[in-house]
Amino acid sequence: MIKFIITFVDDMDLNQLIPAYLVSKKNSTRLVLFTAGFALLFINLYSPFDVRNWFGLSLKSQELFFYSSLIILTGVLVAVISRVILYHYNKKKIKTKLWAFLLIIMLEVFCMALFFTIYESVFIKDDNRTYLEVFNVSVQNTALVLLLPYAVLWLYFSWLDKNHKIKELIESEEKIEFDANSMIPFLDEKGTMRITLKMDDILYIKGADNYVTIYYNKNNAISKFLLRNTIKNLEQRFINHPITRCHRSYMVNFDKIKVIRRERGGHILEIETDPPIEVPVSKTYIKEVFQLFENN
């Protein structure tokens, strides 16, 4: 556990500012409640670190649960006070750096371990361990009780934040009025932007399984870009806009179509390039294609 944390910290820039979601009021409340619940279950159920070993107690189950609940809920006040101070500190637009945030967590562990040690020295009478021995055990157990839920919630808050940003990005893209100069971001299946093109430069899109190839104009030459996504996902994004599905495997920018012709094998679209690019039209989409072609 310690080695993992040291490796994790070494890979991070300690001078970077912590994300806002780590100090928001809602997430701070979640963290305190989750940590209190986790700690209560942890020391009552996980025998190597339970309250009997922690404080050297020999109590009945009911008494044990009462003492452990009192100890944990009182100890969690340290986290409550810490999060309240951190919230108001950042609310004043004074941002906390990562090294300071990690130092605060270390101080929380130290203060809670010190509290547990004092608690034993005052209230527990049947333990013959020295203060230093009790403090060492308390530091180890407190680190586990705090760091495990903190790490889980950090990942969870990060996931929520990324999903929220992706949702905002998608909603903002849907509000864009498409024209020849619009910059169109193309996202992969995970929602990460891979390339941004002008609407006027996009020619057509060809799909194959879980990938699409985007064909576009670049310096008067045709270029292509491979994107991990499905043509079905892109179709949903471009509803009621020039880039339209015309085939199971193709989407075209109808602003670039100059000819639609019928051949023995079906209808063909000619894209306005030199030489012209031919894209097939399937029966499923033929009606929509003719309507769009007439409107253009």
Side-chain angles (χ1 to χ4, degrees):
M1 178 71 177
I2 301 296
K3 290 182 179 179
F4 172 78
I5 294 172
I6 293 173
T7 303
F8 178 72
V9 171
D10 286 341
D11 293 336
M12 303 176 74
D13 180 8
L14 296 180
N15 287 317
Q16 66 178 325
L17 298 177
I18 62 173
Y21 58 76
L22 287 180
V23 291
S24 70
K25 183 184 292 186
K26 183 177 181 179
N27 286 343
S28 295
T29 303
R30 286 174 171 174
L31 182 139
V32 170
L33 294 176
F34 181 77
T35 302
F38 176 85
L40 189 58
L41 292 173
F42 188 79
I43 68 171
N44 279 284
L45 299 179
Y46 191 46
S47 58
F49 300 101
D50 67 16
V51 74
R52 293 184 181 88
N53 294 327
W54 195 333
F55 293 110
L57 294 175
S58 55
L59 300 173
K60 296 180 180 179
S61 296
Q62 293 180 346
E63 294 176 320
L64 180 64
F65 186 77
F66 173 78
Y67 276 109
S68 64
S69 300
L70 182 64
I71 293 168
I72 289 299
L73 294 179
T74 308
V76 166
L77 284 176
V78 174
V80 173
I81 295 170
S82 171
R83 297 297 146 170
V84 170
I85 294 174
L86 195 60
Y87 170 75
H88 287 287
Y89 181 79
N90 284 268
K91 193 176 180 181
K92 296 178 180 180
K93 298 182 179 180
I94 306 174
K95 302 302 180 182
T96 304
K97 292 187 176 181
L98 181 58
W99 67 265
F101 183 70
L102 295 176
L103 179 61
I104 290 171
I105 294 176
M106 292 174 61
L107 288 174
E108 288 177 359
V109 172
F110 177 83
C111 291
M112 290 183 72
L114 184 62
F115 164 78
F116 294 141
T117 304
I118 295 172
Y119 184 90
E120 178 174 359
S121 66
V122 174
F123 295 102
I124 308 298
K125 304 299 184 180
D126 58 346
D127 189 1
N128 296 321
R129 293 178 295 181
T130 65
Y131 293 151
L132 183 59
E133 289 175 335
V134 176
F135 181 75
N136 287 335
V137 173
S138 296
V139 168
Q140 295 176 34
N141 293 349
T142 303
L144 288 170
V145 166
L146 285 185
L147 296 183
L148 286 174
Y150 279 14
V152 170
L153 286 180
W154 192 334
L155 293 173
Y156 176 67
F157 294 155
S158 176
W159 177 77
L160 286 180
D161 184 65
K162 288 181 179 178
N163 279 356
H164 179 68
K165 288 179 179 178
I166 290 172
K167 184 178 179 181
E168 285 186 338
L169 178 62
I170 292 174
E171 289 176 351
S172 64
E173 289 172 3
E174 291 175 348
K175 296 177 182 178
I176 296 175
E177 181 180 352
F178 285 77
D179 57 39
N181 294 316
S182 293
M183 297 300 294
I184 311 300
F186 285 88
L187 313 180
D188 64 15
E189 60 181 4
K190 296 182 179 179
T192 303
M193 189 190 71
R194 295 300 182 184
I195 189 171
T196 302
L197 300 169
K198 281 187 178 181
M199 175 65 79
D200 192 48
D201 290 334
I202 301 171
L203 300 174
Y204 70 103
I205 300 170
K206 183 177 180 181
D209 296 326
N210 293 324
Y211 290 88
V212 295
T213 303
I214 305 163
Y215 292 83
Y216 61 97
N217 279 321
K218 181 179 180 181
N219 300 326
N220 297 321
I222 299 175
S223 297
K224 60 183 179 180
F225 183 86
L226 184 65
L227 179 71
R228 186 176 177 84
N229 207 330
T230 63
I231 198 165
K232 184 177 181 180
N233 288 341
L234 295 184
E235 180 186 16
Q236 295 298 318
R237 180 175 179 274
F238 291 113
I239 290 177
N240 299 323
H241 292 294
I243 302 177
T244 306
R245 190 88 171 260
C246 65
H247 186 274
R248 182 173 176 271
S249 302
Y250 288 91
M251 296 179 70
V252 295
N253 184 352
F254 263 83
D255 289 342
K256 297 297 181 180
I257 300 299
K258 65 176 182 178
V259 174
I260 179 170
R261 71 176 190 271
R262 182 169 184 171
E263 294 185 351
R264 180 176 297 180
H267 290 82
I268 299 293
L269 298 176
E270 283 190 9
I271 299 178
E272 194 175 8
T273 55
D274 187 20
I277 296 173
E278 296 184 347
V279 175
V281 181
S282 64
K283 294 180 180 180
T284 305
Y285 301 97
I286 190 64
K287 185 177 179 180
E288 297 175 14
V289 167
F290 274 115
Q291 288 178 346
L292 286 169
F293 194 74
E294 290 173 2
N295 292 337
N296 281 0

